[in-house]
Structures are given as structure tokens and as C-alpha cells.
Amino acid sequence: MEQYEPERLSAPQLAAMRRSLTNGRGALTRRSLLRASGMGALALGGLGTLSACGIPPAKRDGDTAASDDHSAKEKVINFSNWTEYMDVSEDEKSRPTLDAFTERTGIKVKYTEDINDNVEFFGKIKPQLAAGQDTGRDLIIVTDWLAARIIRLGWAQKLDHANLPHAFANLSAQFRTPDWDPGRAYSYPWTGIPTVIAYNEKATGGRKVDSVTQLLDDPKLKGRVSFLSEMRDSVGMTLLDMGKDPGTFDDADFDAAIGRMQKGVDTNQIRRFTGNDYTADLSKGDIAACVAWAGDIIQLQADNPAIKFTIPAAGYITSSDNMLVPAEARHKTNAEKLMDYYYELPVAAQLAAYINYVCPVDGVAGELAKIDEAMASNTLILPDKAMAAKSRAFRSLSSEEETAYEEKFAKLIGA
């Protein structure tokens, strides 16, 4: 019988996740940039759970998880999400889109903001999933690398696309075929997270910065450049700049990208590798230009018009946060109805107007313009066709690759 790959994480993998917890993507909130605050010992406990062998899974790799569906008799959905990732009313006492869904369908949504970080959350639900038990959740939202792992382990239920007509029709082309879930058999994206180039126009003297080559080679930027401490973002953007596809690269390509950035470190072109703490330095002008997350830039621009962003001609990296139905969830059909609801254009627009990340729903611009015309024209929320065509995803990694790559990247950034 084919067995699951061991889930024991290597030291380099754990170190990378700890970086993410403290100030990387794991530390981003969806609006306040404080996504991982308050995790404390619970986050460390999640890491400990991940690093242990845990309970042996009961299924073979690739099996489709299924459970008895109680949706017809139990009109409820247990929905776990990140903080600041759902629209709220002005008085902060209600969630308009969820309330409207319940009014329409009679399905009550028990909504919990209990995801502060992918690692922590996986540590919380893994023992139940591995034991073939219900996690108490019908719908969860996790970042693509964790979604890939859950699907690979057979711990996500295969979706019934008959219950997802809007999602199937309206999903943006750039999100349709991730290598970890081709055709979106198990997942649909909640939002996209682009990695772009940002610069402070005052700090560059009005000069535009629009490529990784410029970041690494422009002498006028020396000592005022930062890259991200998340390996997939910094290496992925460098691979693109070198003419390599982050979706198909090999070991030699990875090593060449590391070498390219190492030169920037050795010559002091790169000031440092950062998590989301680059935002303060960029706003002040101490960092003139950097590799950045688009969600940060939207928020920085609201207070500082000197902050600009560019999409390199070579392309940019996009990751996603994704909706999954866990194995043994009791209300799969209800969860699918809610997933599909957020792909209806008016609903998708209302959500996008609140969370300010890339909306994965095609055709939503008109509805979003009714709410906020500036948002509807912001390509960091609604990429136009030219921008979407430049979007690339970092390919899935085997456990062995991730260990080797994170070790090399940690050496580069001095972690």
C-alpha cells in the first residue's frame, strides 16, 4: 500500500515558517498588517505539532476524502477564516454578505476568525484529520502551499461542481490551473496575493523602478533595496527576471537565482531581506525600492502618494488563499453553496471592496465601480488582462526540495 510522505518538517522548513510567523507573509493581516499578532505560545505549539510524526493517516495518497453530508437536515456551515478577511458593517456589529446568504438560503453561518497563520492552524486541525475525525469545520481558507499539502494527503473533499455554477463560470483564468489542484477539483480561491516591485518616488528622485535587474544593478539604489524573507517571493521574482519560469524551474535555475541575489548582498546593493516591516522604511524613504506585497502597497498609498508600484515586464509572482472543505466535514453541500455565493458578481464586489486584495472573480469591475470607482480601476485589486497575463505561480515543491531550497535561502539572507 502506498503511504503518505512523512510530515516531519526539516530544520530549514521550520526556520522558514518561524520567519513567516514573526514578520513574513504569515504576519500580514488583511487590512492592518498585524495578521499574526497575539499568537504567542499557540503558534509555537502549531510548529511543534507539524514537526512531530503525529497520527498515521488512514488513506492512501491521492484518495478522495468523503463523509456523510448532513446539509439537507442541518442548515448550518462552520466557517474558519483569517482575521479582517470578511466584510463588516460600519458599526462592526454584522457581516452583510454572510447575513444576506443566511436570509436567502436559511443556512446559518457560524463564522470564526481563528486562522492567524497557516502553520499554527494546520497544527490545530492535523491530529483530527489524520485520525479521520471531523475538525468541526465545513469550510476553511488556507494559503496555496498548505492547500496543496492538505489535498495531497487526502484530507480535502472533492467538490461537486454542479453546486458551483457561478464559481466555475466566473473564476479568473489566472487562478484556474494551479499545479497542486488542476481544474480546481478541491479548492476555489478566496483572494490572490501578488508580489510586485514598489518604490518611493521621492527617494528615487522621481525615477521609476520596474525590474529586479534595476533593484540589483542600479548604482543609484545601492544600499536602499530590500527583498522579502519569503523564499518563494524573492526567488520567484528573480527567476522571472532571469527569463526562467517559476512554475517549471530546476535545481540549477534555483541556484542561479540565489547566486544573482548573493551578488547583491556581497556588493551591499541589497540592504536587507524583510518581512512586512519594509513598509515603514519604504514610506520614510530609507528603502527606495523593494520587492513587496501588493496588499501592503494599497494601504501605504492611502497615506503616502509617493509610494508607487510596477509590474515587471518579466512578470510577477501571485499566490492565493483558498477555500477547502475538510475531510469528514458534515455540511459539504452547504459549504459549496457558500463558496459559489462569493463568486456572484455583486457579492464578490462587496467582499473585494472591503479586503482590498486581488479578486479572483471575472467580470466584477462594474459591480465594484458602483461601490468605489477608484477600487474598480486599481489593478492590484482587479488585474487587467495585460497584468493577469504576467502572473506566475511558484511551483509545488517536494519535501526534499523545500528542505534544500530553504537551507540555501536561509544562508543567503543570514537567517
Side-chain angles (χ1 to χ4, degrees):
M1 177 183 290
E2 184 181 3
Q3 298 294 324
Y4 284 116
E5 64 178 78
E7 284 300 297
R8 184 184 298 277
L9 297 185
S10 65
Q13 287 173 307
L14 287 171
M17 289 176 177
R18 289 190 180 99
R19 289 198 305 272
S20 182
L21 287 175
T22 54
N23 69 347
R25 179 175 290 161
L28 290 171
T29 50
R30 297 318 184 179
R31 288 170 67 85
S32 66
L33 307 180
L34 297 173
R35 174 162 149 178
S37 63
M39 287 191 296
L42 184 58
L44 296 177
L47 285 169
T49 304
L50 273 171
S51 62
C53 288
I55 303 168
K59 296 180 180 293
R60 290 184 299 143
D61 194 16
D63 281 355
T64 298
S67 67
D68 293 333
D69 192 351
H70 300 264
S71 294
K73 295 182 179 180
E74 300 176 5
K75 296 296 184 181
V76 66
I77 301 167
N78 297 296
F79 183 4
S80 284
N81 202 350
W82 299 81
T83 58
E84 305 290 345
Y85 226 10
M86 179 65 72
D87 58 299
V88 297
S89 61
E90 289 188 7
D91 62 10
E92 299 186 354
K93 292 182 179 180
S94 64
R95 302 187 182 279
T97 58
L98 288 178
D99 292 346
F101 174 80
T102 297
E103 184 176 353
R104 180 199 298 184
T105 64
I107 300 170
K108 182 179 179 180
V109 182
K110 296 182 179 178
Y111 184 76
T112 308
E113 294 178 316
D114 62 345
I115 306 179
N116 291 307
D117 175 82
N118 289 289
V119 178
E120 173 204 344
F121 183 67
F122 188 50
K124 188 185 303 182
I125 64 175
K126 180 186 174 186
Q128 294 161 302
L129 291 171
Q133 299 171 352
D134 180 12
T135 66
R137 299 166 176 86
D138 302 304
L139 188 63
I140 62 175
I141 293 180
V142 293
T143 304
D144 43 19
W145 68 265
L146 181 53
R149 175 171 291 174
I150 291 172
I151 292 169
R152 185 175 69 245
L153 292 173
W155 293 344
Q157 296 195 48
K158 193 169 186 177
L159 301 174
D160 182 352
H161 287 280
N163 294 328
L164 296 157
H166 296 96
F168 185 80
N170 295 337
L171 177 61
S172 173
Q174 75 178 98
F175 294 103
R176 282 190 177 271
T177 56
D179 65 354
W180 47 269
D181 187 18
R184 292 289 181 178
Y186 296 89
S187 69
Y188 270 90
W190 182 253
T191 193
I193 307 169
T195 302
V196 299
I197 290 178
Y199 63 98
N200 185 317
E201 195 172 41
K202 289 184 178 179
T204 64
R207 296 167 61 248
K208 184 178 182 180
V209 181
D210 60 4
S211 71
V212 170
T213 291
Q214 192 174 356
L215 291 176
L216 291 173
D217 295 341
D218 187 341
K220 293 183 179 180
L221 298 177
K222 185 173 182 177
R224 299 188 298 151
V225 167
S226 68
F227 278 64
L228 293 168
S229 58
E230 296 277 355
M231 180 266 288
R232 287 169 175 80
D233 295 297
S234 287
V235 173
M237 292 291 281
T238 304
L239 284 167
L240 284 167
D241 190 72
M242 297 170 64
K244 302 295 183 179
D245 186 348
T248 60
F249 70 90
D250 58 22
D251 288 352
D253 296 330
F254 183 89
D255 289 346
I258 291 290
R260 181 87 172 90
M261 287 184 283
Q262 185 66 59
K263 181 180 177 182
V265 171
D266 294 342
T267 61
N268 296 317
Q269 180 76 10
I270 298 177
R271 179 169 180 160
R272 62 191 183 108
F273 289 82
T274 77
N276 68 306
D277 51 325
Y278 70 86
T279 55
D281 286 343
L282 180 64
S283 189
K284 290 187 295 184
D286 293 340
I287 291 292
C290 59
V291 176
W293 288 307
D296 295 358
I297 304 310
I298 293 173
Q299 296 175 57
L300 288 177
Q301 287 178 326
D303 297 320
N304 187 346
I307 303 300
K308 307 293 182 181
F309 79 93
T310 56
I311 302 300
Y316 66 102
I317 294 291
T318 300
S319 59
S320 57
D321 282 341
N322 307 275
M323 297 180 278
L324 297 176
V325 179
E328 305 304 326
R330 290 177 60 88
H331 311 109
K332 174 174 176 283
T333 298
N334 290 346
E336 289 168 339
K337 289 179 179 179
L338 185 63
M339 293 169 71
D340 192 64
Y341 170 73
Y342 278 101
Y343 275 78
E344 295 180 17
L345 300 186
V347 181
Q350 192 168 346
L351 181 67
Y354 184 81
I355 65 176
N356 294 172
Y357 275 76
V358 167
C359 179
V361 182
D362 262 348
V364 77
E367 293 294 336
L368 186 55
K370 296 176 184 177
I371 301 171
D372 189 315
E373 290 186 3
M375 286 187 182
S377 61
N378 189 331
T379 54
L380 293 181
I381 298 174
L382 296 181
D384 57 23
K385 289 184 179 179
M387 181 173 168
K390 293 181 180 180
S391 172
R392 297 291 183 271
F394 198 93
R395 70 172 174 83
S396 299
L397 302 178
S398 67
S399 182
E400 293 78 11
E401 285 178 322
E402 187 164 1
T403 294
Y405 292 170
E406 287 290 3
E407 187 171 15
K408 292 175 181 178
F409 187 69
K411 183 178 179 181
L412 167 72
I413 70 176

